[in-house]
């Protein structure tokens, strides 16, 4: 079964600092990978996705993520964090192998980002 | 584009009441919709997958008779929590996807359900 691990429950950075949120996945084939962001009391917004091709994926709001197959990782990065980036971030892997789980997303536990002024 | 509207955003009701939550894709046709439940400070747990015109597929441990899902059109899915009890209080989120599985899911803003 697929799984996603986000090792950091909570990260605090200063505004303007760089950011990296870690995501490790377990999946038997080439995964579909996603990063979503959730503000308190709201739904999830898609930041970026990886299906195939270039392993460095650009997303919205200045975020990017790099797929590293050898490390089973899909870490999210941003060179300079803004106060408005404070939210919870979820990494997810999508099942594309068929069967009863086809098309489902499995989410990590989430990483809460706090931004200090 | 790819806007999903979920209604209501918050509902408070008495124990024993049935509550219906609507999920609409506003600018695209969603062949598949998903219903999630999120407990405080936890991740999203998939409850069921809903394909237009067919019965929903429920995840293990989710009571079909408790959580009724209807996906009558390509733009609307509903989740009805029947005879709700305090333990059903949670944040419910829907998502919708166009076509193939390599397309991302687009999420509604969620419904905060509080059962007194």
């Amino acid at each position: 079964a697929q799984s996603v691990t986000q090792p950091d429950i909570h990260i605090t950075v200063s505004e303007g600092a760089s950011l990296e949120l870690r995501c490790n996945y377990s999946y038997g084939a080439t995964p579909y990978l996603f990063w979503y962001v959730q503000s308190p009391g709201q739904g999830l917004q898609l930041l970026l996705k990886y299906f195939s091709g270039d392993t460095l994926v650009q997303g919205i709001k200045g975020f990017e993520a790099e797929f590293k197959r050898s490390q089973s990782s899909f870490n999210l990065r941003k060179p300079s964090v803004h106060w408005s980036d404070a939210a919870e971030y979820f990494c997810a892997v999508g099942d594309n192998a068929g069967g009863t789980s086809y098309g489902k997303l499995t989410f990590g536990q989430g990483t809460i980002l706090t931004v200090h002024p | 584009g790819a806007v999903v509207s979920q209604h209501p955003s918050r509902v408070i009701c008495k124990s024993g009441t049935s509550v219906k939550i609507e999920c609409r894709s506003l600018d695209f046709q969603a062949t598949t919709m998903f219903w999630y439940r999120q407990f405080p400070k936890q991740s999203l747990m998939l409850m069921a997958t809903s394909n237009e015109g067919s019965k929903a597929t429920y995840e293990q441990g989710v009571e079909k008779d408790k959580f009724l899902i209807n996906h009558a059109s390509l733009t609307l899915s509903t989740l009805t929590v029947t005879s709700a009890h305090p333990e059903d209080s949670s944040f419910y989120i829907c998502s919708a996807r166009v076509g193939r599985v390599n397309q991302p899911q687009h999420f509604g803003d969620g419904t905060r359900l509080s059962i007194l």
Side-chain angles (χ1 to χ4, degrees), chain B residues 17-98:
Chain B
T17 305
S18 290
V19 179
K20 179 183 283 189
I21 302 170
E22 290 187 349
C23 180
R24 294 181 184 271
S25 57
L26 297 185
D27 53 0
F28 66 101
Q29 292 186 325
T31 51
T32 307
M33 288 185 170
F34 302 84
W35 288 95
Y36 295 85
R37 185 172 178 175
Q38 186 178 31
F39 291 100
K41 301 188 184 301
Q42 294 191 24
S43 188
L44 282 76
M45 299 301 296
L46 180 65
M47 299 175 64
T49 302
S50 170
N51 291 294
E52 186 265 339
S54 62
K55 291 184 179 180
T57 302
Y58 290 80
E59 295 301 299
Q60 191 173 6
V62 177
E63 299 176 59
K64 299 178 182 181
D65 296 332
K66 177 74 170 177
F67 299 99
L68 300 179
I69 292 173
N70 183 276
H71 192 164
S73 76
L74 285 172
T75 59
L76 174 64
S77 177
T78 60
L79 167 68
T80 301
V81 184
T82 61
S83 187
H85 292 284
E87 58 267 27
D88 298 322
S89 298
S90 192
F91 192 57
Y92 293 88
I93 308 176
C94 73
S95 71
R97 188 186 69 210
V98 176

